[in-house]
Amino acid sequence: MQVMTIFEDIRELLLPRSCVMCGERLSKYEHWLCCNCLRRLDLVKIVDVEDNPIQRLFLGQIPIERAASYFFHEGEKTRTLLHRLKYFDQPDIGVYLAHLMAEDLVKKNFFDGIDVLIPMPLHWKRLWKRGYNQSRYICQGIREVTDIPIDSGIVERIVNNPTQTHLYTTERRTNVEGIFRLKHPERIIGRHVLLVDDVITTGATTMECTKELMKAGDIRISIVSLSYAGQRFIQTANDLK
């Protein structure tokens, strides 16, 4: 144990790690983010549906049990954090943040009754280019806390649609039509599944994937993401009636 401590101290001296948000050097007790940046994350504090913008986003659109995100996706530093997760071969950021998120949501009984974690699938071309699916790593962090199994083979992305980043809400919905295919409905019939993603903005991709999962019949679906990049107050379809 003493030898390992000495080795870790030498490694920190020769190869110092830095915070992925602010760039400051990390202590040996910090992982990926420094304590200051962790405290600055604008967490989504969920008490009930009325103050939950993520769950309200889907009300009147798709039948879900519950929905949550860990933090609001705002500011350059938060964008840098998620870009490093998705595009800079640092998927373990997702494991770390998802572990923290799961520890928080467990206290709210968010995972009660959930049978399986389903990562939002990537098209095989994008997966090949990136080398990993960041949502799979987020699932891994959740599993570390909850022991809920992961199944990446339930649904597949069959269309390599263009990025949603610069599209309006209506364009996003059109952009994702028919991009998923349910492969193994028998593995989720009668079960409560949790669809896991990195970022939710308008919810278009999430809703399209959820609709495909619902084709299995007799299933319950909940949704979670690391971050939420949409509006803090959502006017739902029910509000407009």
Side-chain angles (χ1 to χ4, degrees):
M1 183 67 69
Q2 185 68 27
V3 174
M4 284 299 297
T5 301
I6 294 172
F7 174 76
E8 289 171 357
D9 288 342
I10 294 174
R11 184 181 60 186
E12 288 293 332
L13 181 63
L14 298 177
L15 298 170
R17 298 167 302 121
S18 59
C19 174
V20 293
M21 282 184 69
C22 70
E24 291 295 319
R25 183 170 178 171
L26 297 175
S27 74
K28 66 179 180 180
Y29 303 107
E30 295 173 328
H31 304 282
W32 296 107
L33 279 80
C34 68
C35 290
N36 286 333
C37 284
L38 267 178
R39 284 195 295 265
R40 289 170 185 162
L41 283 179
D42 190 3
L43 302 184
V44 181
K45 296 177 176 62
I46 296 171
V47 178
D48 53 36
V49 174
E50 292 304 317
D51 73 346
N52 182 349
I54 298 86
Q55 189 149 339
R56 283 178 60 81
L57 179 66
F58 301 110
L59 284 177
Q61 307 287 333
I62 50 174
I64 60 170
E65 296 292 317
R66 60 192 84 122
S69 293
Y70 188 38
F71 58 87
F72 288 103
H73 183 39
E74 296 177 335
E76 186 60 35
K77 289 184 177 179
T78 307
R79 285 192 290 271
T80 298
L81 171 64
L82 291 170
H83 279 194
R84 285 182 176 272
L85 164 62
K86 293 177 68 171
Y87 306 118
F88 290 87
D89 198 25
Q90 294 179 309
D92 284 337
I93 295 173
V95 179
Y96 173 64
L97 290 173
H99 189 111
L100 296 179
M101 174 178 68
E103 287 181 330
D104 182 61
L105 291 177
V106 160
K107 300 172 186 175
K108 300 179 174 72
N109 303 316
F110 182 84
F111 300 105
D112 288 3
I114 291 176
D115 300 300
V116 62
L117 307 175
I118 299 180
M120 181 68 72
L122 289 180
H123 188 268
W124 70 265
K125 288 183 179 178
R126 198 167 298 180
L127 181 61
W128 178 81
K129 182 178 180 180
R130 188 173 301 171
Y132 60 90
N133 180 354
Q134 69 277 2
S135 295
R136 178 63 175 74
Y137 280 82
I138 296 170
C139 285
Q140 184 178 325
I142 296 173
R143 184 179 61 183
E144 288 178 356
V145 177
T146 65
D147 290 327
I148 300 172
I150 304 168
D151 195 333
S152 302
I154 298 295
V155 64
E156 65 178 341
R157 200 170 192 139
I158 58 175
V159 177
N160 190 21
N161 59 309
T163 179
Q164 300 273 81
T165 305
H166 303 294
L167 300 179
Y168 294 107
T169 300
T170 53
E171 294 172 326
R172 284 173 181 256
R173 290 175 180 171
T174 302
N175 189 43
V176 298
E177 288 179 357
I179 67 172
F180 297 107
R181 180 171 62 197
L182 184 62
K183 292 178 62 179
H184 294 287
E186 73 281 0
R187 300 210 305 236
I188 56 173
I189 293 175
R191 309 187 80 189
H192 186 174
V193 306
L194 180 63
L195 182 60
V196 180
D197 206 355
D198 56 342
V199 183
I200 291 175
T201 305
T202 65
T205 303
T206 307
M207 284 189 276
E208 188 68 18
C209 191
T210 298
K211 290 174 184 177
E212 190 65 20
L213 290 170
M214 287 171 56
K215 291 179 180 179
D218 188 27
I219 68 166
R220 300 163 64 198
I221 302 175
S222 290
I223 294 164
V224 74
S225 69
L226 273 185
S227 69
Y228 174 63
Q231 300 175 19
R232 291 191 179 228
F233 176 78
I234 300 297
Q235 190 173 39
T236 69
N238 288 332
D239 295 329
L240 299 175
K241 290 180 180 179

PDB file of all heavy atoms in Angstrom, residues 28 36 46 48 62-63 73 88 95 120 131 159 203 207 210:
ATOM      1  N   LYS A  28      -4.498  14.630  -6.081  1.00  0.00           N
ATOM      2  CA  LYS A  28      -4.603  13.183  -6.271  1.00  0.00           C
ATOM      3  C   LYS A  28      -5.954  12.646  -5.803  1.00  0.00           C
ATOM      4  O   LYS A  28      -6.308  11.498  -6.085  1.00  0.00           O
ATOM      5  CB  LYS A  28      -3.469  12.457  -5.563  1.00  0.00           C
ATOM      6  CG  LYS A  28      -3.479  12.560  -4.047  1.00  0.00           C
ATOM      7  CD  LYS A  28      -2.315  11.761  -3.479  1.00  0.00           C
ATOM      8  CE  LYS A  28      -2.277  11.815  -1.958  1.00  0.00           C
ATOM      9  NZ  LYS A  28      -1.126  11.026  -1.431  1.00  0.00           N
ATOM     10  N   ASN A  36     -13.816  22.884  -7.276  1.00  0.00           N
ATOM     11  CA  ASN A  36     -14.462  24.164  -7.598  1.00  0.00           C
ATOM     12  C   ASN A  36     -15.417  24.028  -8.768  1.00  0.00           C
ATOM     13  O   ASN A  36     -16.540  24.544  -8.740  1.00  0.00           O
ATOM     14  CB  ASN A  36     -13.409  25.235  -7.894  1.00  0.00           C
ATOM     15  CG  ASN A  36     -12.717  25.730  -6.643  1.00  0.00           C
ATOM     16  OD1 ASN A  36     -13.289  25.679  -5.553  1.00  0.00           O
ATOM     17  ND2 ASN A  36     -11.489  26.203  -6.783  1.00  0.00           N
ATOM     18  N   ILE A  46     -34.572  18.363  -8.727  1.00  0.00           N
ATOM     19  CA  ILE A  46     -35.905  17.857  -9.044  1.00  0.00           C
ATOM     20  C   ILE A  46     -36.662  17.523  -7.764  1.00  0.00           C
ATOM     21  O   ILE A  46     -36.196  16.751  -6.935  1.00  0.00           O
ATOM     22  CB  ILE A  46     -35.802  16.602  -9.935  1.00  0.00           C
ATOM     23  CG1 ILE A  46     -35.161  16.977 -11.278  1.00  0.00           C
ATOM     24  CG2 ILE A  46     -37.181  15.988 -10.142  1.00  0.00           C
ATOM     25  CD1 ILE A  46     -34.816  15.781 -12.119  1.00  0.00           C
ATOM     26  N   ASP A  48     -40.583  17.650  -7.994  1.00  0.00           N
ATOM     27  CA  ASP A  48     -41.757  17.009  -8.571  1.00  0.00           C
ATOM     28  C   ASP A  48     -41.834  17.377 -10.050  1.00  0.00           C
ATOM     29  O   ASP A  48     -40.967  18.065 -10.584  1.00  0.00           O
ATOM     30  CB  ASP A  48     -43.040  17.419  -7.839  1.00  0.00           C
ATOM     31  CG  ASP A  48     -43.182  18.942  -7.745  1.00  0.00           C
ATOM     32  OD1 ASP A  48     -42.782  19.633  -8.704  1.00  0.00           O
ATOM     33  OD2 ASP A  48     -43.669  19.421  -6.714  1.00  0.00           O
ATOM     34  N   ILE A  62     -44.901  11.682 -25.283  1.00  0.00           N
ATOM     35  CA  ILE A  62     -44.692  10.246 -25.195  1.00  0.00           C
ATOM     36  C   ILE A  62     -45.001   9.801 -23.759  1.00  0.00           C
ATOM     37  O   ILE A  62     -44.799  10.557 -22.818  1.00  0.00           O
ATOM     38  CB  ILE A  62     -43.244   9.834 -25.555  1.00  0.00           C
ATOM     39  CG1 ILE A  62     -42.235  10.679 -24.771  1.00  0.00           C
ATOM     40  CG2 ILE A  62     -43.010   9.924 -27.059  1.00  0.00           C
ATOM     41  CD1 ILE A  62     -40.793  10.256 -24.960  1.00  0.00           C
ATOM     42  N   PRO A  63     -45.494   8.574 -23.585  1.00  0.00           N
ATOM     43  CA  PRO A  63     -45.803   8.083 -22.236  1.00  0.00           C
ATOM     44  C   PRO A  63     -44.545   7.567 -21.536  1.00  0.00           C
ATOM     45  O   PRO A  63     -44.011   6.512 -21.904  1.00  0.00           O
ATOM     46  CB  PRO A  63     -46.794   6.943 -22.498  1.00  0.00           C
ATOM     47  CG  PRO A  63     -46.440   6.451 -23.867  1.00  0.00           C
ATOM     48  CD  PRO A  63     -45.934   7.632 -24.635  1.00  0.00           C
ATOM     49  N   HIS A  73     -26.840  22.306 -19.287  1.00  0.00           N
ATOM     50  CA  HIS A  73     -25.747  22.419 -20.264  1.00  0.00           C
ATOM     51  C   HIS A  73     -25.646  23.874 -20.715  1.00  0.00           C
ATOM     52  O   HIS A  73     -26.231  24.283 -21.710  1.00  0.00           O
ATOM     53  CB  HIS A  73     -26.057  21.494 -21.437  1.00  0.00           C
ATOM     54  CG  HIS A  73     -24.999  21.449 -22.495  1.00  0.00           C
ATOM     55  ND1 HIS A  73     -23.660  21.459 -22.216  1.00  0.00           N
ATOM     56  CD2 HIS A  73     -25.100  21.371 -23.848  1.00  0.00           C
ATOM     57  CE1 HIS A  73     -22.976  21.396 -23.344  1.00  0.00           C
ATOM     58  NE2 HIS A  73     -23.828  21.348 -24.347  1.00  0.00           N
ATOM     59  N   PHE A  88     -13.086  13.559 -27.738  1.00  0.00           N
ATOM     60  CA  PHE A  88     -11.657  13.596 -27.446  1.00  0.00           C
ATOM     61  C   PHE A  88     -11.171  12.340 -26.723  1.00  0.00           C
ATOM     62  O   PHE A  88     -10.205  12.376 -25.971  1.00  0.00           O
ATOM     63  CB  PHE A  88     -11.312  14.842 -26.620  1.00  0.00           C
ATOM     64  CG  PHE A  88     -11.424  16.121 -27.400  1.00  0.00           C
ATOM     65  CD1 PHE A  88     -12.629  16.788 -27.500  1.00  0.00           C
ATOM     66  CD2 PHE A  88     -10.325  16.642 -28.065  1.00  0.00           C
ATOM     67  CE1 PHE A  88     -12.747  17.959 -28.226  1.00  0.00           C
ATOM     68  CE2 PHE A  88     -10.431  17.812 -28.793  1.00  0.00           C
ATOM     69  CZ  PHE A  88     -11.643  18.468 -28.886  1.00  0.00           C
ATOM     70  N   VAL A  95     -18.355   7.983 -17.201  1.00  0.00           N
ATOM     71  CA  VAL A  95     -18.494   7.040 -16.087  1.00  0.00           C
ATOM     72  C   VAL A  95     -18.492   7.795 -14.761  1.00  0.00           C
ATOM     73  O   VAL A  95     -19.334   7.566 -13.885  1.00  0.00           O
ATOM     74  CB  VAL A  95     -17.349   6.007 -16.099  1.00  0.00           C
ATOM     75  CG1 VAL A  95     -17.495   5.038 -14.925  1.00  0.00           C
ATOM     76  CG2 VAL A  95     -17.310   5.243 -17.415  1.00  0.00           C
ATOM     77  N   MET A 120     -28.405   5.216 -25.559  1.00  0.00           N
ATOM     78  CA  MET A 120     -28.830   5.746 -26.851  1.00  0.00           C
ATOM     79  C   MET A 120     -27.845   5.262 -27.914  1.00  0.00           C
ATOM     80  O   MET A 120     -26.641   5.539 -27.830  1.00  0.00           O
ATOM     81  CB  MET A 120     -28.849   7.269 -26.821  1.00  0.00           C
ATOM     82  CG  MET A 120     -29.310   7.905 -28.118  1.00  0.00           C
ATOM     83  SD  MET A 120     -31.054   7.618 -28.489  1.00  0.00           S
ATOM     84  CE  MET A 120     -31.820   8.676 -27.251  1.00  0.00           C
ATOM     85  N   GLY A 131     -15.003   5.440 -31.996  1.00  0.00           N
ATOM     86  CA  GLY A 131     -14.373   4.353 -31.258  1.00  0.00           C
ATOM     87  C   GLY A 131     -15.156   3.912 -30.032  1.00  0.00           C
ATOM     88  O   GLY A 131     -14.820   2.903 -29.408  1.00  0.00           O
ATOM     89  N   VAL A 159     -29.930   4.900 -39.453  1.00  0.00           N
ATOM     90  CA  VAL A 159     -29.681   6.042 -40.338  1.00  0.00           C
ATOM     91  C   VAL A 159     -28.644   6.945 -39.684  1.00  0.00           C
ATOM     92  O   VAL A 159     -28.788   7.339 -38.524  1.00  0.00           O
ATOM     93  CB  VAL A 159     -30.970   6.856 -40.606  1.00  0.00           C
ATOM     94  CG1 VAL A 159     -30.670   8.080 -41.471  1.00  0.00           C
ATOM     95  CG2 VAL A 159     -32.030   5.977 -41.261  1.00  0.00           C
ATOM     96  N   GLY A 203     -35.348  17.048 -27.149  1.00  0.00           N
ATOM     97  CA  GLY A 203     -35.900  15.728 -26.872  1.00  0.00           C
ATOM     98  C   GLY A 203     -36.324  14.974 -28.116  1.00  0.00           C
ATOM     99  O   GLY A 203     -36.877  13.874 -28.009  1.00  0.00           O
ATOM    100  N   MET A 207     -37.366  11.090 -28.063  1.00  0.00           N
ATOM    101  CA  MET A 207     -38.746  10.696 -28.337  1.00  0.00           C
ATOM    102  C   MET A 207     -38.827   9.679 -29.468  1.00  0.00           C
ATOM    103  O   MET A 207     -39.610   8.731 -29.405  1.00  0.00           O
ATOM    104  CB  MET A 207     -39.588  11.935 -28.659  1.00  0.00           C
ATOM    105  CG  MET A 207     -39.937  12.760 -27.433  1.00  0.00           C
ATOM    106  SD  MET A 207     -41.147  14.081 -27.730  1.00  0.00           S
ATOM    107  CE  MET A 207     -40.073  15.390 -28.331  1.00  0.00           C
ATOM    108  N   THR A 210     -37.714   6.368 -28.101  1.00  0.00           N
ATOM    109  CA  THR A 210     -38.738   5.864 -27.184  1.00  0.00           C
ATOM    110  C   THR A 210     -39.910   5.265 -27.947  1.00  0.00           C
ATOM    111  O   THR A 210     -40.428   4.195 -27.589  1.00  0.00           O
ATOM    112  CB  THR A 210     -39.231   6.995 -26.267  1.00  0.00           C
ATOM    113  OG1 THR A 210     -38.136   7.470 -25.483  1.00  0.00           O
ATOM    114  CG2 THR A 210     -40.336   6.510 -25.347  1.00  0.00           C
TER     115      THR A 210
END
